[in-house]
Amino acid sequence: MKKTFRNRRFKLIDVLLTTIIVFLAMTAIVLIFTKGSSGSHLKSAISQSSDKDAVVVDKSDSKYEGIKIITETSNDPLGKYAIQYPQSKNEEFNNHVSTYIHQAKKNYLQAIRNVEIENNKRKSELNISYETHVDKKGNYSFVLMNNEYLQGQKRLSEIESFHLNSKSGEQLDIQTVFKEDTTTLQKITDRVREKIQHSEKLSEGLILDKMQIRTEPEWKNFENFAISEKFMFFYFESGSLKDVKAGPQIAMIPIGDMNDLLKPEYQVVSASPTSGDEDNQSDTSKKEDSTGEKDLESEADNVNGKEEQESGNEKSPTQAEKTGEKKIALTFDDGPDPKSTIQILETLKKYNAKATFFMLGSRVEYYQDAAKAVKASGHEIGNHSWNHPDLSKMPLAKALEEINRTTDIIQKVTGEKPTVFRPPYGAYTDQLSKQRIPPIVLWNVDTLDWKYRDSTKLLEEVKKSTKDGSTILMHDIHQSTADGLDNVMAYLKSQGYKFVTVSELHK
Ligand code: ZN
């Protein structure tokens, strides 16, 4: 409530204020009561720890006009979440998005309540992030990625897209961008299927019969989409829970190839870009770099487009640099990612630093170019399992398969076997460690970048605990980590650290 009343009509305002305060107080009492009673027979994780773990909501400007980024985080150790979503000036759009978010949170908290508290040792987490695509008319596609982990296991991986007409502020959906013609839907289906069939990775991920079902000519099958300047993206759920870690599958089709089906205002006039390889990262669109949001298309830009920046930072060395022999190993887990990993490579190059990337086999298979770029930049590549399961909780043979399959794909894609292995969550059995697997390397500085998703916080965490010989854990799949790395590197360099791979550090 802003204090904008400057006249003397205090009486009326007093009455109003009193009424509101009394009402709020009563609401609070009712809420406390309800919470207390509902948790009485079932010691709910949420009500138990809600006092010390307040939910944090933050609203900040995005780089996109008229769009704010809402961030909600909860550090309840038994029901963590980190949620990010866009907010526009359109109430209907905002309601649409918040309904989705509300439901996702509700489902997640419900799932946690259903788990017996004794078993609730492993981390649960709800993670919703989003990426923004802008088409040539400035219309927005927001692609929300909803990942839910229950006791350390991925339970859900889902995509939901929202769309805004930048001029009218109206919401768009799949049917509003395509021509109203009885044959349109079938043609979309045909083109998406063709794309999938010609892409080894996509057809594997959407194993043929399922692919057929998920791409039946019904609008609802194509409602999760995005339009950028050059591509149309269609998102498909990855299917079985077992494959959930791999995440949704994306079919990327050059807009030029959809021109005849799109309403004129969404068509592109220029020649269509070449469809590129299966990962579709050969596109060299000059899309601006985005902060906080992923952009699948700009990988090539990031690799080739930027000027060498080394000279700018090679100023006179500090005292520590002249004398210091301090070494640290930066490690990046859970990638590769076509956007953030590549950005990280650029930053590392700027500081002439070598690091170690612990990759997931499933992502190496999907983002081969990104994995190759890491190798080409001279960094060490480590094995981080295929799908990020808790290896200590599975039969030895299965755990070994997770590792070996990943070793194979890394060798196939980068030409070399991974030299080190880091088990997901740092969890492994004695038995597993005695097998013929690459040496296990954990970490001793955890930046918690996956939790904060805040580029400024990254430096704080590093400052807190880094010392000579530290192995620092970060995740190259988060844009916030990629964005915050430069400051971290500048700081560490000023402290005289030399950046080495984990193998070199442990030599
Ligand atoms: Zn990991």
Side-chain angles (χ1 to χ4, degrees), residues 480-498:
S480 50
T481 301
D483 291 340
L485 187 63
D486 200 311
N487 283 338
V488 169
M489 301 295 289
Y491 165 76
L492 292 171
K493 192 180 169 188
S494 76
Q495 299 298 304
Y497 286 109
K498 193 178 173 228

Side-chain angles (χ1 to χ4, degrees), residues 428-480:
Y428 60 95
T429 59
D430 267 3
Q431 204 190 10
L432 180 63
S433 65
K434 288 174 190 143
Q435 306 299 313
R436 281 173 58 94
I437 55 172
I440 294 176
V441 178
L442 300 180
W443 60 90
N444 45 33
V445 175
D446 188 349
T447 59
L448 300 175
D449 58 342
W450 58 272
K451 182 165 117 182
Y452 297 124
R453 303 289 184 91
D454 178 341
S455 56
T456 54
K457 198 113 172 108
L458 191 65
L459 179 57
E460 273 175 49
E461 294 298 316
V462 167
K463 274 185 178 171
K464 252 189 243 169
S465 28
T466 301
K467 53 180 197 283
D468 187 22
S470 287
T471 301
I472 303 177
L473 170 65
M474 289 176 273
H475 294 83
D476 53 323
I477 48 169
H478 299 312
Q479 187 58 42
S480 50

Side-chain angles (χ1 to χ4, degrees), residues 333-334 384 388 424 475:
D333 289 13
D334 296 3
H384 194 43
H388 213 274
H475 294 83

